[in-house]
Every structure is written in C-alpha cells, then in structure tokens.
Amino acid sequence: MQRQRVIIRTIGVATAVALAATACGPQKTESAGSSSAAPSSPTAGATPEASPSTDNKPGEASPSASASASASASPSASPSPSVKQIMANGDESEQVRELQARLKQLKLMTVAPTGFYGSKTTAAVKSFQSKNGLDATGGVDDKTWKKIQSSSKKPTADELRPPTTNEVAAPDPRCMTGRVMCISKESRTLAWMIDGKVVSTMDVRFGSENTPTREGVFNVGWKAKDWTSTIYHTPMPYAMFFSGGQAVHYSADFAARGYNGASHGCVNVRDKGKLSKLFDDVQVGDKVVIYW
C-alpha cells in the first residue's frame, strides 16, 4: 500500500513537471513582444522577471498586455496650453485687412488686401514668423501681431483699399506720352495715364483664345454709355470702342464670376464706379495701348 502511494506520488510529480514544461515552451519560442498568447497567471515561485511589470497603486488590477503596450507607446498626457489666436485662417475683418496691408509693405504679399484670411495670408504670416524666430503656425497671436506692427507702419487708406486688386504692371513705353488707356495683358490691369502719370487703375479681363483681344496701339473711335452688342446681344455699358467691335466696357459677368469667364474680344472692367469716371474723362481720339 505504501509502495502504491509512492508510485502515485511519483507519477503526480512527473505529470506536474511535464505540464510546466508544456506551458513554458511557447513563451520561449514566441518572439518578444508577441501578444498572440494570453498572459498566464503568475504562479507561486515565479520570479519578478517572469511577471508583467506594473506601476499600479496597491489594489489596482494589472493592465492587460495590449493595454500596457498601448500605454507605453502613448506620449505624455500633459498637453501644453494653446496660444490664443487674434487672427487665423478663415477670419474676415478690418483687422485682417490691416494685417495684409502690413504684410504687403514687408514684401510678403503681392495681392491687394481683401480682409479675408486665406491661404496666401497664412503663407505670408508663416514666412514672417520663420524669419523672426517665432513659431511658424500661420496664425497671428499677440506676439506675432506686435512684431508685425513694430516692423511696419500704419497703412494708409490707399494701402488698405488700393485702386486695383491686381498689381499694376510697369507701363509700356508707348504709354508715357499723351492721354492713354494703358492695358497690360500680363497683370490684367488698365491704367489711365496722362503725360506719363497714372491717374486711375482697374482690373480687366480679355477675350478667350478663340476670340482674342487685339494687341497694339489704337485710338478711341467712339463712345456709348448704354450699348448692347449687336452680335451677342449682351449689355456693354460705358463702351469705348478702339478697334472695330472691340471696346473697353463694364461687364456684369466679370463682376460676378471674375476670371472664370472671358470676353468675346473686348476689354472687360468689373468696377462700374471707376469705369463711369473713366468714361467721362476719356475723349474720342485718346490712345489705347494693349500689350504683354
């Protein structure tokens, strides 16, 4: 009987050893960091190295392997306080207009102020911040705004609302004498000039490649304040004809759609008020120069 107990005890020990070896096998062959096997419960006699390392308060449950791995990969959960923005992308205000005028003084913007904070303003602000050792966020915080103000002067009324949206090109030499409507296809502007001096400027639009606006030196042949095209049956207010049926005139389509459209060869103007004044000033016989 005693011999039977010894045999049974011996078999039990052998079985326990065999089971322990089977449980440890996969842990040795799995690659480090693998999470395919469920974590085994710590057994009596297990060394600290064999148990998952934790940093919990007493009484707290140990995190799962996946949770602990996620926690170790996460950055510190103490976010830095955000800097309050005075102006940022998407804003529209008179302060934005002033910002744009100051950035233009600093040669960081070429377009005229619009009062809307878009991608061009964001890029200009980023450039200023990078050059002045500020965080290049593209938004204007108090520090950036004060630096821009100290680096520029208070904009004038003309700088805030310049006579044209497009930047006026250098006048063609043929525009430097007499009374001339000097029209640049490159800058898409019309400059009304008298003896080499610019009196007023405005944005213009030209014909498409199928109906191009002619280039060269012309003269105003005749004028019509209220005119409708006899070919296309569209209104042509304040028309000043310079070459056959081609004229400088106001275009409601240009005012509404901008450069998404084109004329049938005429020089379109979108600022009706400016063109009305120009129409009164221009005389039949005055020169028209259209150039690249």
Side-chain angles (χ1 to χ4, degrees), residues 16-231:
V17 171
L19 287 172
T22 303
C24 289
Q27 291 180 4
K28 291 181 179 179
T29 57
E30 273 192 89
S31 60
S34 173
S35 59
S36 60
S40 59
S41 300
T43 58
T47 63
E49 290 76 16
S51 302
S53 172
T54 65
D55 194 20
N56 296 334
K57 293 179 182 178
E60 287 185 347
S62 298
S64 66
S66 59
S68 61
S70 174
S72 64
S74 301
S76 173
S78 55
S80 59
S82 60
V83 178
K84 183 179 179 182
Q85 301 290 323
I86 299 174
M87 293 171 274
N89 199 333
D91 290 348
E92 188 169 9
S93 66
E94 286 303 302
Q95 190 177 28
V96 172
R97 186 182 294 275
E98 180 183 345
L99 166 68
Q100 292 167 332
R102 289 179 181 272
L103 290 170
K104 193 169 185 187
Q105 289 178 13
L106 298 170
K107 310 297 184 187
L108 295 173
M109 290 190 76
T110 58
V111 297
T114 62
F116 178 76
Y117 202 123
S119 58
K120 291 182 180 179
T121 306
T122 299
V125 170
K126 276 187 177 181
S127 178
F128 178 85
Q129 290 169 328
S130 296
K131 291 177 180 178
N132 288 275
L134 302 168
D135 291 338
T137 62
V140 178
D141 56 19
D142 185 63
K143 191 174 182 180
T144 298
W145 182 228
K146 286 179 178 177
K147 186 66 176 177
I148 290 174
Q149 287 177 311
S150 65
S151 303
S152 58
K153 60 182 179 64
K154 185 174 178 61
T156 64
D158 282 344
E159 285 177 318
L160 290 171
R161 287 178 169 78
T164 179
T165 302
N166 297 328
E167 191 171 2
V168 180
D172 185 279
R174 296 168 293 182
C175 299
M176 300 308 293
T177 57
R179 298 161 55 86
V180 191
M181 284 194 283
C182 192
I183 302 170
S184 168
K185 282 190 170 183
E186 183 176 11
S187 66
R188 300 187 291 192
T189 56
L190 182 157
W192 170 234
M193 301 180 65
I194 299 178
D195 297 329
K197 181 181 178 181
V198 176
V199 178
S200 65
T201 60
M202 56 203 75
D203 297 339
V204 292
R205 186 178 71 172
F206 304 100
S208 67
E209 62 180 14
N210 296 322
T211 55
T213 302
R214 302 182 188 101
E215 299 159 24
V217 180
F218 311 92
N219 295 95
V220 176
W222 59 289
K223 299 165 53 180
K225 186 174 181 179
D226 297 301
W227 186 259
T228 299
S229 170
T230 57
I231 299 175

